[in-house]
Amino acid sequence: MSEQAPLPPVSGLSFERAVDELERIVARLERGDVALDESIAIYARGEELKKHCGKLLNAAEARVEKIRLDREGKPAGTEPLDQG
């Protein structure tokens, strides 16, 4: 049995790395060639990744602002995206 390097903590992953790892987990589970114990372990890791990605997306959404334009069409400031 070959030993793999320990996985980095989910909380330290960027959104892109977390999504990439999650996609690889889903592909492995869909192929069905993973032992039951490993399937359970990687499924749990996938759940952690999914929650982490959701948290990162929510944080990004909170920072997104849209530009308000004045009567001349020039930027007059910003306002939160959800205050439309």
Side-chain angles (χ1 to χ4, degrees):
M1 182 183 245
S2 65
E3 288 190 33
Q4 296 179 345
L7 295 171
V10 170
S11 62
L13 295 177
S14 69
F15 177 79
E16 291 79 9
R17 284 198 60 198
V19 167
D20 181 57
E21 185 178 341
L22 184 56
E23 288 174 344
R24 283 183 277 135
I25 287 172
V26 169
R28 288 185 70 197
L29 290 171
E30 285 179 343
R31 280 194 312 266
D33 59 356
V34 182
L36 180 61
D37 288 343
E38 188 179 359
S39 292
I40 293 168
I42 64 175
Y43 182 87
R45 174 80 173 181
E47 280 295 314
E48 285 184 72
L49 290 163
K50 184 182 122 204
K51 288 178 186 174
H52 180 64
C53 288
K55 188 185 305 183
L56 292 174
L57 284 174
N58 287 338
E61 185 176 63
R63 293 190 310 259
V64 172
E65 297 178 328
K66 67 178 181 181
I67 297 173
R68 281 194 329 237
L69 301 177
D70 64 15
R71 291 179 188 200
E72 287 111 31
K74 296 180 183 174
T78 60
E79 64 185 45
L81 181 63
D82 61 354
Q83 292 199 3

